[in-house]
Amino acid sequence: LADKGKQLLLFSFSDADHVVNALDAVGQYRVDGLVLASSTIGQEQLLRMRRPGPRVVAFNQPAAVGLLPVVSVDNEAGTSLLAEHVAALGVRTATFVGGIATASTDQVRYRGAAKALADRGIACPYIEAGGFTYDAGYKIAARFVDDRTLPDVVMVGSDEVAFGVIDGLTSAGFDVPGDVLVTGFDGLTQASWAGYDLTTLVQPVERLVDTAITMLFDPDGTPEATQIVP
């Protein structure tokens, strides 16, 4: 944005139901466009974004396809690649830990993992952590320990949650990846730290951002929906 001589204003909302309040706040400024980067906003709220005003581009929001211009990583292909990787390592049992079940990114990422594993005869049930946070992952790890249902691999829908899962398991005396494999999704900097060394899907952030900005300021030169294969 700075390269285009634009300034960035950040409007945050903790709950998807508060998106209308955020839109009202945006309306107090003369903005050239909006980038919507919310992991939990649903179709009802997305429909509210379809109103006269600045152009809106949804960022990494699969639920927005057909409603708003959207650019996203191919989430399904990403978790499929991860699933193929762990299957090649010989795992026989798997569980997918998502953040919030209603989030479209969760749904698509789970679909990619579950289908790829099912093709190899491996079931992969879904567990909701209840949030895209470290604490949510830590609590889910305790649930695995308490229920004595530790699979060969825990595929986690985001790196932040995966960090919590790893720390929760190691604090309970399990070795990761010796006793259980853990995968993430995002490619956060901490994933490469020695304490985690997390197998994850690194999102092509620069390509995603470049495409989103092009869609925002040069709408005639890009399709309404773009998926970038990781």
Side-chain angles (χ1 to χ4, degrees):
L1 287 171
D3 288 344
K4 290 184 173 293
K6 306 293 183 180
Q7 296 295 320
L8 175 66
L9 295 176
L10 177 63
F11 298 86
S12 62
F13 47 93
S14 57
D15 191 294
D17 291 335
H18 298 159
V19 66
V20 176
N21 295 334
L23 284 175
D24 289 340
V26 171
Q28 299 175 29
Y29 299 84
R30 295 181 58 186
V31 298
D32 297 313
L34 298 173
V35 176
L36 177 65
S38 169
S39 59
T40 58
I41 192 168
Q43 289 199 337
E44 180 181 347
Q45 290 83 14
L46 288 168
L47 286 170
R48 294 175 179 266
M49 306 291 287
R50 300 179 62 183
R51 63 184 194 181
R55 180 173 173 81
V56 179
V57 172
F59 190 87
N60 241 354
Q61 187 63 33
V65 174
L67 300 176
L68 296 168
V70 57
V71 57
S72 69
V73 68
D74 192 331
N75 292 281
E76 186 170 348
T79 49
S80 180
L81 286 171
L82 285 167
E84 290 170 0
H85 171 71
V86 296
L89 296 177
V91 304
R92 300 309 307 160
T93 57
T95 298
F96 188 94
V97 172
I100 299 175
T102 56
S104 59
T105 48
D106 246 25
Q107 295 167 5
V108 178
R109 290 176 186 179
Y110 173 58
R111 185 168 67 215
K115 183 178 185 305
L117 291 173
D119 289 344
R120 291 156 180 78
I122 304 170
C124 184
Y126 175 95
I127 294 179
E128 181 181 39
F132 298 97
T133 65
Y134 174 93
D135 288 341
Y138 198 95
K139 291 177 181 177
I140 282 295
R143 175 174 164 182
F144 281 122
V145 174
D146 292 342
D147 294 346
R148 302 181 184 276
T149 56
L150 200 62
D152 294 337
V153 60
V154 179
M155 298 192 66
V156 188
S158 73
D159 286 357
E160 188 76 19
V161 179
F163 300 149
V165 171
I166 291 173
D167 285 348
L169 291 174
T170 54
S171 68
F174 291 95
D175 177 62
V176 180
D179 296 323
V180 56
L181 300 174
V182 177
T183 67
F185 196 110
D186 285 328
L188 298 183
T189 301
Q190 301 96 307
S192 63
W193 290 1
Y196 295 118
D197 196 19
L198 178 66
T199 297
T200 186
L201 194 290
V202 179
Q203 294 207 52
V205 176
E206 290 188 5
R207 291 168 58 198
L208 288 166
V209 170
D210 288 345
T211 303
I213 298 303
T214 300
M215 294 175 76
L216 199 61
F217 294 106
D218 185 21
D220 295 331
T222 54
E224 285 292 283
T226 301
Q227 278 196 331
I228 296 178
V229 178

